[in-house]
Amino acid sequence: MLKIYNSLHNRKQDFIPLEANKIRMYVCGMTVYDYCHLGHARVMVVFDMVYRYLKAAGYEVTYVRNITDIDDKIIKRANENAEPFTALTARFIQAMHEDEQALGVLSPTHEPRATDNIPAMLAMISTLIEQGYAYVGSNRDVYYDVSKFEGYGKLSGRRLEDLRAGERIAIDEAKHDPLDFVLWKAAKAGEPAWDSPWGLGRPGWHIECSAMSSSLLGTQFDIHGGGHDLKFPHHENEIAQSEACNGHQYVNYWMHNGFIQINDEKMSKSLNNFFTIRDVLQVYKAEEIRYFILNSHYRSPLNYSHEPLDNARAALTRLYTALRDLPNAEAPVNSEAEQRFRAVLDDDFNTPEAIAILFELARDINRFRREQNDLAAAETAALLKKLAGILGLLEREAESWFKGSGIEGLADAAIEALIQQRLLARTQKNWAESDRIRDELKAQGILLEDQAGLTTWRRV
């Protein structure tokens, strides 16, 4: 049985969906005012892996990942650029989709945008006001009254009295309590605004996800995911809003992935210690980044440096080498390796252990090659590709992996031409010219391999 570490209870629990064989899952997506960084990549890849595995396990999955396309940062950046906020967000939504595609991230079932769901937010805020959980401040902002929600803090383990005593909170005369959070922001001059019963304004961040998730998945659903940094206050506030509005539990299983760190500090734009996905793709292949992320358990912190990405490159080279030059075959059904692979993923999506099983299969392929058992090698290679595909790995042809990089360098045709020149030099016993061409290609990141009269090449 699938077990998921539920952040709501801080332990692994048997996963029982609300509807048999159906899963409804919501993941907090990006605020689109800049390029995505590696921390965003981890959220994308982790929950893409979860989505892929749940589907492979036979569930019908409805996966919602939202886009926040209106907030303070977006307005500030658009003003700095002297452009409409819609132009800014359209540009970075496109860039985000390009990054996702590069990383092999599947499209979610639904990808709602905040600005398309204002009516649902207004309806939810109105209900909260009617039920006494929200109020209109003297500044015309609408606030959620956290003191009215008995369960506030149950996800993050924080108590209101501790928050008040332990944190410095700016005094705001418009609020009843410094901990109250905004549901609707009254419009300031020159800002984008929508009409509401409380005057022109725009939604607060927290209400966006409550409204969009409930609209598309119902007022209670199975899984809610996001980065660990969203646990408080964002997800805590989502619970408070949604459960006060609807009168029952909002989400059954909460999943939070760990941070990507640089020098043991969280990677974030606010700390200015981030690398965009596009930056890293100038040096590493997208699949190397995906492997780097999945080779650590999703809940663990992950430290960014060149060393683990170099290790990812070497590991994928080993796996693709095992697949090289083998005929197509059918994978064995329900093999012992596949049962173990699914068992470790059933244990809270333990991808490092799943990847270890992929390497066992690669070793088996190499052993079958040495034994000249081509059929067994080909069948095991088919199984390797099948299981790796559940993680979104090894989806390219082996030759494409070795010869394509996605990074600027010598074109394939130019490499092939130099190899032909080198073969001619070798037939003429011009070893100096042969070595010169090999060294030239090596300097360009191209490694030649001579076997049985044939020369193959790969990028390194």
Side-chain angles (χ1 to χ4, degrees), residues 65-105:
R65 189 184 64 226
N66 75 293
I67 295 174
T68 295
D69 60 347
I70 184 67
D71 90 332
D72 292 342
K73 293 175 183 176
I74 290 171
I75 294 170
K76 181 175 183 291
R77 182 64 58 84
N79 289 340
E80 289 170 352
N81 294 352
E83 66 177 325
F85 85 95
T86 51
L88 176 83
T89 57
R91 186 165 69 256
F92 286 115
I93 289 170
Q94 176 63 31
M96 177 188 71
H97 287 157
E98 291 169 357
D99 290 341
E100 290 167 354
Q101 186 174 16
L103 293 170
V105 173

Side-chain angles (χ1 to χ4, degrees), residues 404-415:
S405 67
I407 300 167
E408 289 185 10
L410 279 178
D412 290 4
I415 296 168

Side-chain angles (χ1 to χ4, degrees), residues 59-302:
Y59 291 102
E60 179 185 326
V61 185
T62 303
Y63 176 24
V64 178
R65 189 184 64 226
N66 75 293
I67 295 174
T68 295
D69 60 347
I70 184 67
D71 90 332
D72 292 342
K73 293 175 183 176
I74 290 171
I75 294 170
K76 181 175 183 291
R77 182 64 58 84
N79 289 340
E80 289 170 352
N81 294 352
E83 66 177 325
F85 85 95
T86 51
L88 176 83
T89 57
R91 186 165 69 256
F92 286 115
I93 289 170
Q94 176 63 31
M96 177 188 71
H97 287 157
E98 291 169 357
D99 290 341
E100 290 167 354
Q101 186 174 16
L103 293 170
V105 173
L106 302 176
S107 297
T109 315
H110 304 286
E111 193 175 52
R113 302 184 186 189
T115 56
D116 292 334
N117 288 270
I118 302 294
M121 298 172 203
L122 294 176
M124 198 168 199
I125 295 169
S126 295
T127 299
L128 290 170
I129 292 174
E130 291 166 6
Q131 295 181 350
Y133 288 97
Y135 60 91
V136 181
S138 58
N139 60 356
R140 305 304 298 169
D141 286 355
V142 181
Y143 295 101
Y144 186 96
D145 187 341
V146 297
S147 68
K148 297 293 179 65
F149 184 68
E150 186 176 343
Y152 193 81
K154 63 183 177 181
L155 178 66
S156 59
R158 306 186 188 204
R159 299 187 307 165
L160 286 176
E161 49 267 40
D162 294 335
L163 288 168
R164 291 192 182 103
E167 295 189 12
R168 294 182 178 181
I169 302 171
I171 296 174
D172 186 337
E173 294 181 356
K175 296 181 180 182
H176 294 173
D177 185 311
L179 293 175
D180 294 348
F181 59 88
V182 69
L183 300 171
W184 184 261
K185 295 186 177 185
K188 297 177 182 177
E191 286 189 346
W194 289 261
D195 199 10
S196 82
W198 319 285
L200 289 173
R202 57 187 170 86
W205 177 35
H206 310 301
I207 197 68
E208 294 178 5
C209 286
S210 286
M212 288 187 282
S213 62
S214 297
S215 295
L216 289 165
L217 297 175
T219 56
Q220 184 176 7
F221 53 93
D222 299 293
I223 298 171
H224 194 314
H228 183 77
D229 54 329
L230 300 185
K231 194 173 183 180
F232 184 87
H234 184 53
H235 290 162
E236 195 73 71
N237 291 349
E238 276 191 67
I239 291 174
Q241 296 163 158
S242 302
E243 296 190 358
C245 186
N246 299 313
H248 55 72
Q249 185 167 341
Y250 173 44
V251 173
N252 285 4
Y253 300 85
W254 286 87
M255 295 179 64
H256 293 94
N257 65 270
F259 297 131
I260 287 188
Q261 300 176 329
I262 296 179
N263 298 324
D264 299 319
E265 193 172 45
K266 174 197 167 190
M267 180 184 292
S268 72
K269 289 178 179 172
S270 61
L271 295 173
N272 198 32
N273 67 342
F274 65 92
F275 291 90
T276 70
I277 296 170
R278 292 174 177 230
D279 291 336
V280 184
L281 284 173
Q282 294 301 308
V283 184
Y284 295 96
K285 299 177 184 180
E287 192 170 352
E288 292 163 351
I289 299 172
R290 187 178 180 101
Y291 182 100
F292 159 69
I293 291 170
L294 294 178
N295 201 37
S296 291
H297 192 276
Y298 77 90
R299 286 189 284 113
S300 302
L302 180 56

